[in-house]
């Protein structure tokens, strides 16, 4: 038997996982954009089995910087921002997850993310990640100071059945 937080027995398939689409990206990219731009290759298309299904989006981006810079990221479903924060100001650019600066350009930084989306559709649904910096060069999957330290970024979309 499965029990809820009160100790009552729960029946039915709750939180059952359906399909999963995973993208691993091991190539390097860079940007100096101060506007959000798509990260090439970090895209998943998933077709929910039911309009009541949820999609769990999770993954990790590895990044570095060439100079003092902050990386900001946003998550999109079919080109629509899905993780806009209600507390964000114009200077925060409504970013769901951002990674700040610190001293040193020889660190491979990790930006993990997780978000539960309710697309309410049975049509193919495309999830993408966009990023921007503060004008200096950002690197995906490598450190800023050299090319000898690298990572593999990942985007997973997992259907959670109702």
């Amino acid at each position: 038997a499965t029990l809820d937080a009160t100790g009552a027995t729960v029946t039915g398939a709750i939180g059952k996982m359906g399909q999963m689409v995973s993208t691993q990206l091991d190539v390097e990219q860079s940007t100096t954009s101060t506007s959000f731009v798509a990260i090439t290759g970090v895209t998943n298309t998933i077709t929910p089995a039911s309009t009541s299904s949820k999609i769990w989006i999770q993954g990790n981006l590895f990044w570095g910087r060439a100079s003092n810079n902050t990386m900001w990221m946003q998550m999109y479903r079919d080109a629509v921002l899905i993780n806009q924060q209600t507390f964000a100001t114009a200077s925060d650019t409504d970013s769901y997850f951002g990674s700040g600066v610190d001293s040193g350009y020889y660190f491979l930084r990790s930006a993990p993310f997780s978000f539960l989306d309710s697309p309410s559709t049975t049509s193919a649904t495309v999830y993408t990640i966009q990023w921007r910096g503060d004008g200096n060069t950002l690197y995906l999957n490598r450190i800023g100071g050299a090319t000898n330290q690298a990572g593999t970024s990942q985007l997973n979309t997992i259907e959670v059945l109702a």
Side-chain angles (χ1 to χ4, degrees):
T2 302
L3 304 177
D4 69 8
T6 67
T9 301
V10 178
T11 59
I14 298 173
K16 187 175 182 181
M17 298 298 174
Q19 62 188 307
M20 176 179 171
V21 178
S22 182
T23 298
Q24 293 187 344
L25 185 68
D26 61 0
V27 296
E28 297 175 5
Q29 294 181 42
S30 65
T31 187
T32 57
S33 180
T34 57
S35 299
F36 283 98
V37 293
I39 300 175
T40 304
V42 182
T43 300
N44 280 0
T45 301
I46 191 166
T47 305
S50 168
T51 57
S52 61
S53 291
K54 297 192 182 305
I55 304 297
W56 178 28
I57 306 140
Q58 63 94 17
N60 187 48
L61 298 180
F62 287 101
W63 68 285
R65 61 187 176 92
S67 58
N68 197 20
N69 208 352
T70 300
M71 181 182 65
W72 300 90
M73 298 180 289
Q74 291 182 331
M75 191 178 304
Y76 289 80
R77 176 194 345 109
D78 296 328
V80 175
L81 178 64
I82 60 171
N83 60 333
Q84 187 169 1
Q85 300 298 310
T86 57
F87 61 84
T89 64
S91 63
D92 294 328
T93 60
D94 298 328
S95 180
Y96 173 60
F97 35 79
S99 297
V101 298
D102 60 22
S103 60
Y105 311 115
Y106 293 94
F107 297 111
L108 185 63
R109 291 161 176 80
S110 175
F113 54 90
S114 181
F115 185 79
L116 188 62
D117 186 36
S118 301
S120 300
T121 186
T122 56
S123 298
T125 305
V126 179
Y127 289 95
T128 58
I129 304 292
Q130 294 190 6
W131 68 335
R132 77 162 184 89
D134 293 331
N136 296 313
T137 305
L138 290 175
Y139 297 98
L140 184 71
N141 292 333
R142 63 162 271 202
I143 65 173
T147 59
N148 62 345
Q149 295 181 20
T152 299
S153 295
Q154 185 166 357
L155 171 63
N156 300 313
T157 48
I158 305 156
E159 183 178 15
V160 181
L161 304 171

